[in-house]
Amino acid sequence: MLREVQTFKAIIDERAPEELKEKIGKLGIIKTTVHTPPYMMHKFWARRPWRVFRELITRFTKPGDIILDPFAGGGVTLVEGLIARRKVVAVDLNPLAVKIMRHEVAPLNTRLFRKAIEKLSEVMEPLASDIYAVKCPNCGRKAVAIWTEYEASTDRPVAIRYECNICHSKGLKQPDVEDLPEPPQPPQFTRVEIPPGDKTGDLLKRGIKFFDQLFTKRNLYMVLKLKEEIEKLETYGEDVKSFLFFTLSSTLKWASKMSHLRGDVVEGWALHAYWIYPKYLEINVWKQFLNRAEAVLRGKEYTNKHIGSYAREAKVFDELIASATYMILQADSRKLPLPDESIDAVITDPPYGDNVNYAELSDYFLWLFGESAPKEEEILINKTRGFTIHHYQRGLEEVFKECYRVLKPGGLLISTFNSKDSLVVGAFIHSLRRAGFSFAGALPQPYLKAYETTFHALQVDSMPYDYIFFFYKGNHSNASTTSLNVSDLWRFLMEELKACKQAICSEREYRMRVYPKLIEFFVQAGSMSAIISASAALENIVNSNIKYFKEVRKKRIENRKTSNKTGEETG
């Protein structure tokens, strides 16, 4: 029924259409590279590699096709689809995702944007010079703090990175008494409470109840002052003003106490959680705003060149059929305002269980602008909200049923997916099968190299690749119940464990070996109870051998350290 193509380790269903099987088999490993400039303009979580999506779009659709992404998130399908001259419907419930996507593809007059920055500088540059003033250790005159490191337990500064425009010295200094004067009272703003959640619980326990408490007084003042000054600008047009607010939103990643030093690297908010480090950074907001403005300019110069006038937004679907090229909808994909059989392909990347709590995290970027992300409609696993694996599975199923409705006959649904939790993978596949889709194949793709150093990727034996899943709107005789029962699966898992121990495999490598068989089981499974049993079989085996896996991991880390040390000594 299912065969594994050893060269690329693709899993292909023999009953899928011949042309589709051939395309999947030829796809191979797509070489990934770092994000292009549009994706560097603003933080969003778990963006997938752009080149993977570009390849999927160009190989499995044709120019002029309409692509739907019901979980559009950071906008990769939208941007790459427009670059490839397809039409795209990008849907997301999250207002932050919608804001980011609109600015990724909207044209910008970069000359006017630069002039607006110059106008802001007339007020903000001298203000920042005073707010972040420190004594230069070289000439004794006034210098400016680029960042200041604080002890979180006392909120006292312990180190300052400075630059002096008088003697042109720069470096680290110890804080002096006269450094960093008390900031003025901030402009008026509305305090926004941090809602309870899986990712906000730690803050609430620590007494941090409002988003403004995540900032030092100095940085809160500067953020609010910047917002106030942008609001005053009248002569540069609403488009430029919108991009300035977008730049300020992007700056927030580096503006809070969640910034810290990672070795010598200045790191903004980097986790999929709220966390203030024992030593946090107060980063010069104005300097960072200027950095982010340059990032926005690079992003817009890229899209102005590669998308340009092809980006024509539709307000209603009929406009997309005519001359427009994209629609961005802030909506629940369980109720798509699209006609039946109107979409050529669905290309997406849905939430992975509890991997990222998007709404809770997005509120950090939204509160300043009087917005918040909907949470009760979100499709994920969240203990605080009582969202279980069953809530997650049902939500996905409802979205995929809508995708099935709007897809043309024979149309493809292609989705990347990554979770170490086999139950989450099973729920995802089961949702697609229950929605009516037929399975065609799955292909693993290695992580973008840069992802391997992220907090999530560094977790114990996290999966080092995404799977690309291929489903299509059409029937083949998938059995309603699996021919591979849980007992058979258990025997297979135990045999693979024995082989792994002989080869001294890690937990990650063991999971990589058994996932193709698990996927085969999930595709044929007739119920969530069967999927839960299969997932439990795997997790029970892993947990009962956790001592062995930990020992392998420990030895690997020691060998890596020894190898690195030897390389340094001989380098």
Side-chain angles (χ1 to χ4, degrees):
M1 182 190 304
L2 302 179
R3 63 185 169 89
E4 184 177 337
V5 181
Q6 292 297 329
T7 306
F8 302 128
K9 299 181 181 177
I11 306 160
I12 298 177
D13 194 304
E14 294 290 3
R15 295 162 300 179
E18 289 299 325
E19 183 181 359
L20 179 56
K21 288 190 296 184
E22 184 178 353
K23 282 186 175 182
I24 296 171
K26 287 182 176 179
L27 188 59
I29 302 300
I30 301 168
K31 185 178 179 181
T32 55
T33 58
V34 295
H35 288 314
T36 52
Y39 309 119
M40 304 299 286
M41 294 193 298
H42 198 294
K43 177 181 176 66
F44 201 75
W45 302 268
R47 273 194 181 104
R48 309 331 288 166
W50 67 271
R51 189 179 291 276
V52 170
F53 275 69
R54 177 85 66 86
E55 286 289 320
L56 294 174
I57 289 165
T58 55
R59 294 196 190 202
F60 293 93
T61 68
K62 60 184 184 297
D65 278 357
I66 301 176
I67 300 169
L68 166 67
D69 187 347
F71 299 104
V76 179
T77 301
L78 174 65
V79 172
E80 300 308 319
L82 292 180
I83 289 173
R85 295 306 185 258
R86 275 60 168 171
K87 298 187 176 188
V88 183
V89 180
V91 188
D92 207 285
L93 187 65
N94 190 324
L96 179 64
V98 169
K99 180 186 294 186
I100 290 171
M101 287 190 287
R102 289 196 186 284
H103 288 89
E104 282 174 337
V105 298
L108 172 66
N109 184 322
T110 55
R111 182 185 62 82
L112 275 182
F113 184 78
R114 289 185 186 277
K115 284 189 171 294
I117 295 292
E118 291 172 5
K119 185 64 177 177
L120 277 177
S121 297
E122 293 176 8
V123 174
M124 298 305 301
E125 189 68 44
L127 183 60
S129 180
D130 291 337
I131 291 292
Y132 296 103
V134 297
K135 181 181 178 181
C136 175
N138 186 54
C139 70
R141 306 286 291 278
K142 180 181 173 182
V144 174
I146 304 303
W147 54 254
T148 302
E149 188 174 42
Y150 287 79
E151 286 282 0
S153 59
T154 61
D155 283 331
R156 292 184 179 277
V158 294
I160 298 172
R161 170 72 67 178
Y162 76 95
E163 289 182 359
C164 181
N165 291 327
I166 298 172
C167 69
H168 305 294
S169 66
K170 58 183 178 181
L172 283 174
K173 72 181 290 284
Q174 294 296 310
D176 291 311
V177 176
E178 61 266 41
D179 288 344
L180 301 170
E182 189 72 15
Q185 286 296 309
Q188 275 196 328
F189 70 101
T190 302
R191 301 195 82 185
V192 177
E193 290 189 15
I194 296 173
D198 284 5
K199 300 304 179 183
T200 59
D202 180 72
L203 292 180
L204 297 173
K205 286 177 185 177
R206 295 171 64 172
I208 300 174
K209 298 180 179 180
F210 296 89
F211 282 105
D212 58 272
Q213 290 177 282
L214 290 169
F215 301 81
T216 63
K217 290 181 180 180
R218 184 173 293 100
N219 274 11
L220 179 63
Y221 172 82
M222 288 296 289
V223 164
L224 294 169
K225 187 64 177 174
L226 252 173
K227 182 171 180 280
E228 183 181 75
E229 292 301 319
I230 293 171
E231 288 169 346
K232 291 179 183 178
L233 294 175
E234 298 293 342
T235 59
Y236 302 96
E238 290 303 312
D239 289 345
V240 167
K241 186 181 285 191
S242 179
F243 271 95
L244 290 171
F245 283 128
F246 180 66
T247 304
L248 176 57
S249 177
S250 176
T251 303
L252 294 180
K253 176 182 173 179
W254 288 269
S256 77
K257 295 179 182 179
M258 293 185 288
S259 300
H260 64 286
L261 286 177
R262 179 165 55 87
D264 294 328
V265 177
V266 174
E267 184 69 84
W269 184 26
L271 303 182
H272 293 181
Y274 291 97
W275 182 254
I276 297 175
Y277 286 80
K279 287 186 177 180
Y280 65 82
L281 293 184
E282 176 186 76
I283 299 175
N284 186 313
V285 168
W286 174 241
K287 296 285 187 185
Q288 194 57 45
F289 179 86
L290 294 176
N291 290 339
R292 300 317 303 156
E294 289 301 317
V296 168
L297 283 164
R298 288 191 294 271
K300 296 323 299 173
E301 286 164 358
Y302 184 96
T303 57
N304 285 352
K305 176 182 177 181
H306 293 282
I307 299 176
S309 61
Y310 182 73
R312 300 183 296 274
E313 185 172 7
K315 299 301 181 183
V316 295
F317 190 75
D318 285 348
E319 294 177 3
L320 192 69
I321 295 293
S323 60
T325 56
Y326 72 95
M327 284 181 72
I328 298 175
L329 301 174
Q330 184 182 333
D332 189 334
S333 288
R334 284 170 282 209
K335 297 178 181 179
L336 293 169
L338 304 174
D340 294 354
E341 299 184 354
S342 58
I343 298 296
D344 294 291
V346 177
I347 301 178
T348 192
D349 180 64
Y352 309 155
D354 63 354
N355 184 55
V356 181
N357 278 261
Y358 293 95
E360 291 181 16
L361 301 177
S362 295
D363 280 350
Y364 171 75
F365 292 100
L366 295 169
W367 76 271
L368 184 65
F369 305 96
E371 299 177 277
S372 65
K375 299 175 182 60
E376 292 309 310
E377 300 89 350
E378 203 172 18
I379 298 172
L380 78 174
I381 297 170
N382 186 292
K383 291 180 181 178
T384 304
R385 285 179 252 161
F387 292 176
T388 65
I389 186 70
H390 299 287
H391 168 92
Y392 172 70
Q393 185 275 319
R394 286 192 298 268
L396 287 182
E397 181 182 331
E398 290 170 4
V399 171
F400 293 143
K401 280 182 176 177
E402 275 290 85
C403 291
Y404 192 90
R405 176 183 68 79
V406 302
L407 257 181
K408 295 177 181 178
L412 294 181
L413 186 150
I414 305 173
S415 177
T416 51
F417 203 84
N418 184 307
S419 179
K420 176 184 171 182
D421 188 340
S422 57
L423 181 56
V424 170
V425 178
F428 160 73
I429 293 173
H430 189 61
S431 301
L432 282 155
R433 294 290 299 117
R434 281 186 58 83
F437 284 98
S438 294
F439 176 74
L443 180 69
Q445 287 290 325
Y447 264 167
L448 175 62
K449 190 73 176 175
Y451 288 178
E452 295 176 4
T453 60
T454 64
F455 178 80
H456 263 46
L458 290 172
Q459 295 305 289
V460 177
D461 291 310
S462 59
M463 301 307 288
Y465 53 82
D466 291 328
Y467 259 106
I468 303 174
F469 286 91
F470 298 86
F471 288 80
Y472 62 97
K473 184 176 180 175
N475 292 319
H476 61 229
S477 57
N478 273 343
S480 60
T481 58
T482 178
S483 58
L484 176 69
N485 60 42
V486 176
S487 297
D488 294 335
L489 181 64
W490 176 274
R491 282 191 291 273
F492 166 79
L493 294 174
M494 291 302 295
E495 288 169 3
E496 287 297 312
L497 178 68
K498 182 179 178 181
C500 273
K501 285 187 174 181
Q502 289 174 347
I504 318 177
C505 291
S506 66
E507 179 188 341
R508 171 189 288 184
E509 290 160 341
Y510 174 61
R511 289 181 183 273
M512 289 171 68
R513 290 176 66 132
V514 303
Y515 255 51
K517 185 66 71 174
L518 273 171
I519 290 171
E520 179 183 347
F521 184 96
F522 294 152
V523 167
Q524 300 172 66
S527 67
M528 270 302 292
S529 60
I531 287 169
I532 290 169
S533 296
S535 175
L538 172 62
E539 299 310 323
N540 286 339
I541 290 171
V542 170
N543 290 334
S544 61
N545 289 272
I546 200 67
K547 185 176 180 181
Y548 159 76
F549 287 125
K550 284 184 176 179
E551 189 61 32
V552 170
R553 185 171 186 271
K554 181 180 178 182
K555 288 180 180 178
R556 296 256 179 115
I557 292 172
E558 289 172 353
N559 290 342
R560 193 178 301 128
K561 287 180 178 178
T562 302
S563 176
N564 290 342
K565 187 175 181 181
T566 302
E568 290 172 2
E569 290 173 351
T570 59

